[in-house]
Amino acid sequence: MRGVSVAEEIRAEMVANVWKVVVAQGDSVESGDTLVILESMKMEIPVMSESDGTVAALHVSEGDVVQEGDIIAVIE
Amino acid sequence: MFESVLVANRGEIARRVIRTVQRMGLRAIAVHSDVDANMPFVRDADEAMEIGGAAPAQSYRDVDAILEAARRSRAEAVHPGYGFLAENADFARRVQAAGLVWIGPSPDSIAEMGDKINARNLMAAAGVPVSPGTEAPVEDAAAAERAAADIGFPLMVKASAGGGGMGMSVVTDPATLAAEFDRIQAFAARMFGDPGVLLERFFPRVRHVEVQILGLSDGRVVALGERDCSVQRRNQKVAEESPSPGVTPELRQRMLAAAVQAGQAIGYRNAGTVECLADVESGDFVFLEMNTRLQVEHPVTETLLGLDLVEQQLLIAADEPVTFDPEQLTPTGHALELRINAEDPQRFLPGPGAITTWVEPTGDGVRVDSGYAKGTTVSTHYDSLMAKLIVHGIDRDQALDRARGAVAAFQVAGPKCNLPFFAELLDNPEFVSGAYDTGIVARMREPR
């Protein structure tokens, strides 16, 4: 698959509130960059990109509630 | 003595306070949010009042709603538990202004110790050892870099108004200091409404050891032994034990004396905890912070001394003598507390949910303080603590053995649960040896 662009779906690992959206659609990101910050049970949980690429889609807004498994963003 | 107590909290601590209030023949009044209507602490109370919505700001942090509930239920005293409004000096003042007894330290003590920078300066002046750090809030990243040159790396960037492990960050690489400083300052302003940030030296291989103190109604301050709270993830405690396996009798004596000195310096009354970092190799320790409330882990001390700390709190608040002679206290055996959280046992990420199975262990030396039961729901609005498992043994080996049995017998299904982490911890060679430090959980999760 080398050289071929693969879409990476970033999903929520738990029920949480979306506290902060750090990136915008079209931003280029590196692996480890924070995309959004979730808040659940008095904890802040940064959601990070697992690859280098571009934010192709962003499925959440600040204040949203996400369920475990919901897609937060797509990185291409 | 007052005849009724309103408990301004929820979950396991509300239930635990209610138990003592009722045992003392007093009326226990619970306040609760709408989603907590079926929780055990609401059922246990003699009277319960719904005060608002699930979000803490609409209920457990709503001072007006709580005071109104106190008025309507004709409560005579208020116990704040821990968290929420427990260390809010304004709340304590308003409780007193409403003619109610505040079960806790004076509002002035809460305010003095709640500001971490002020607390450090007060303790240094009282002769308690403190770590190298800033003596006033650091204005901006440039000032932080200047201060860091004196303090040295690694250092801790810490929100002055923070607590519970939130709003702090360790900086090892000087190049990342400015960015971390800005992040913590913004977090502190948003989370605590106070952008004050301090820097202090960070010690990577230390134990987190705290001393339980009690300021009595006759003015004496007594130390009730130490608790070792070095098993932490994300700067938050998950297991505590006493006696600390890393503290020599000589070090214990110095720490207890310093804690009494700290309490005397501010004329402390009621229950409080002096948190320290201890470098076991050098035998040095430094003051970290003082918590002006009952701690989550207070049952460790209760178990070791055979005392009810909530009862002492109520007696002190009523200006009465405590139930024990401070000169005659003898700790017995070894006690260990495990915090049973709704979180996954690998990465410790929260996992709320409805509880479908809940079976608590029983047996010799086993105590469970739980806030939940089968049919209740762990929601995202509150912290992840579901229950505390406390075990007592004649020595550390027996306590660990009883803990292994109790962890295996504890059944929880529905939310995520960290019980498997404790099974792992109780067999971890470093933990079993007793020679561990605050890095133990991170080492257990290092990729092999």
Side-chain angles (χ1 to χ4, degrees):
Chain A
M1 295 295 280
R2 189 181 296 260
V4 178
S5 118
V6 177
E8 180 205 8
E9 288 178 344
I10 308 287
R11 291 173 185 272
E13 290 185 82
M14 79 226 77
V15 187
N17 305 303
V18 179
W19 171 52
K20 204 161 193 157
V21 175
V22 181
V23 295
Q25 194 173 342
D27 283 1
S28 50
V29 291
E30 290 175 20
S31 175
D33 281 359
T34 299
L35 306 172
V36 305
I37 301 172
L38 304 178
E39 203 164 31
S40 183
M41 308 182 93
K42 287 174 69 189
M43 257 182 59
E44 283 186 11
I45 303 123
V47 177
M48 289 174 285
S49 179
E50 285 161 29
S51 54
D52 299 352
T54 306
V55 181
L58 202 55
H59 291 281
V60 296
S61 311
E62 288 177 13
D64 285 358
V65 176
V66 290
Q67 303 294 322
E68 184 171 350
D70 283 1
I71 297 178
I72 289 176
V74 179
I75 309 295
E76 273 180 3
Chain B
M1 191 77 185
F2 35 81
E3 76 74 38
S4 57
V5 177
L6 181 144
V7 182
N9 216 299
R10 66 180 298 283
E12 70 85 17
I13 192 61
R15 207 176 181 194
R16 190 258 164 277
V17 172
I18 288 167
R19 194 165 62 231
T20 292
V21 168
Q22 292 176 333
R23 188 174 58 73
M24 292 173 73
L26 312 174
R27 186 165 60 103
I29 303 147
V31 292
H32 65 89
S33 66
D34 53 4
V35 296
D36 276 348
N38 294 317
M39 289 281 281
F41 77 94
V42 174
R43 291 201 311 265
D44 287 357
D46 299 300
E47 193 176 337
M49 309 187 91
E50 186 173 315
I51 53 167
Q58 295 169 11
S59 47
Y60 301 106
R61 281 187 185 276
D62 186 336
V63 173
D64 290 328
I66 291 168
L67 290 177
E68 174 60 15
R71 194 186 62 77
R72 281 171 45 210
S73 61
R74 298 180 317 283
E76 292 174 24
V78 173
H79 193 299
Y82 53 71
F84 296 123
L85 295 168
E87 288 172 286
N88 183 317
D90 289 333
F91 177 59
R93 285 195 185 99
R94 290 201 46 198
V95 165
Q96 292 178 338
L100 305 167
V101 175
W102 168 253
I103 303 171
S106 75
D108 287 348
S109 289
I110 297 174
E112 280 174 345
M113 292 295 113
D115 178 330
K116 301 249 157 80
I117 298 173
N118 187 46
R120 259 175 57 98
N121 295 343
L122 272 172
M123 290 304 113
V128 177
V130 298
S131 63
T134 52
E135 283 164 20
V138 181
E139 292 270 300
D140 52 29
E145 287 182 332
R146 286 194 298 277
D150 290 333
I151 299 167
F153 287 87
L155 54 75
M156 179 79 95
V157 182
K158 197 163 158 188
S160 185
M166 294 194 298
M168 52 170 74
S169 176
V170 175
V171 176
T172 312
D173 176 4
T176 63
L177 175 63
E180 276 305 283
F181 181 88
D182 288 343
R183 191 180 73 79
I184 295 291
Q185 195 173 45
F187 179 81
R190 184 187 73 85
M191 209 66 181
F192 312 117
D194 173 0
V197 170
L198 67 143
L199 306 185
E200 62 187 21
R201 187 66 189 268
F202 175 72
F203 302 94
R205 288 192 78 92
V206 290
R207 300 183 82 112
H208 182 128
V209 182
E210 61 186 23
V211 179
Q212 175 72 55
I213 62 166
L214 210 50
L216 310 185
S217 21
D218 62 15
R220 276 182 298 172
V221 176
V222 297
L224 302 182
E226 87 285 5
R227 295 182 290 256
D228 194 312
C229 311
S230 304
V231 183
Q232 305 185 353
R233 52 108 183 89
R234 266 184 250 106
N235 294 321
Q236 290 177 335
K237 304 161 188 170
V238 282
E240 303 92 355
E241 64 177 314
S242 187
S244 166
V247 170
T248 61
E250 188 271 332
L251 176 58
R252 175 172 301 114
Q253 200 177 17
R254 282 192 288 130
M255 290 184 74
L256 266 53
V260 168
Q261 222 173 316
Q264 284 169 341
I266 58 167
Y268 198 80
R269 272 189 65 164
N270 220 298
T273 299
V274 179
E275 296 197 332
C276 300
L277 292 178
D279 183 334
V280 178
E281 278 158 40
S282 68
D284 290 336
F285 69 96
V286 292
F287 170 81
L288 195 59
E289 62 186 58
M290 180 157 170
N291 295 315
T292 52
R293 55 169 160 83
L294 192 68
Q295 297 275 98
V296 174
E297 59 275 22
H298 75 275
V300 170
T301 301
E302 292 186 323
T303 300
L304 215 59
L305 295 176
L307 280 181
D308 181 335
L309 283 175
V310 173
E311 181 177 19
Q312 316 310 322
Q313 285 194 293
L314 265 64
L315 290 168
I316 292 167
D319 261 328
E320 290 184 23
V322 290
T323 60
F324 62 96
D325 176 356
E327 310 294 324
Q328 303 293 324
L329 277 179
T330 23
T332 310
H334 196 93
L336 171 71
E337 175 187 275
L338 307 175
R339 299 191 189 192
I340 313 304
N341 291 338
E343 65 186 23
D344 83 81
Q346 280 301 318
R347 298 175 57 205
F348 313 113
L349 291 173
I355 297 174
T356 52
T357 305
W358 184 272
V359 182
E360 295 174 4
T362 54
D364 285 343
V366 174
R367 163 178 168 183
V368 178
D369 283 14
S370 72
Y372 292 83
K374 185 181 172 179
T376 61
T377 297
V378 181
S379 91
T380 55
H381 296 285
Y382 310 113
D383 69 42
S384 59
L385 182 67
M386 294 188 287
K388 302 183 306 206
L389 170 61
I390 305 105
V391 289
H392 190 206
I394 49 163
D395 54 23
R396 191 168 187 266
D397 283 347
Q398 191 187 50
L400 296 193
D401 224 38
R402 286 180 167 173
R404 286 183 196 105
V407 164
F410 210 140
Q411 293 175 47
V412 179
K416 287 181 181 157
C417 185
N418 63 349
L419 276 163
F421 165 75
F422 291 120
E424 196 185 329
L425 178 74
L426 292 163
D427 282 331
N428 176 276
E430 186 183 340
F431 182 74
V432 172
S433 77
Y436 62 93
D437 58 61
T438 52
I440 182 171
V441 178
R443 281 191 293 278
M444 285 170 70
R445 289 292 171 266
E446 264 168 18
R448 262 170 267 179

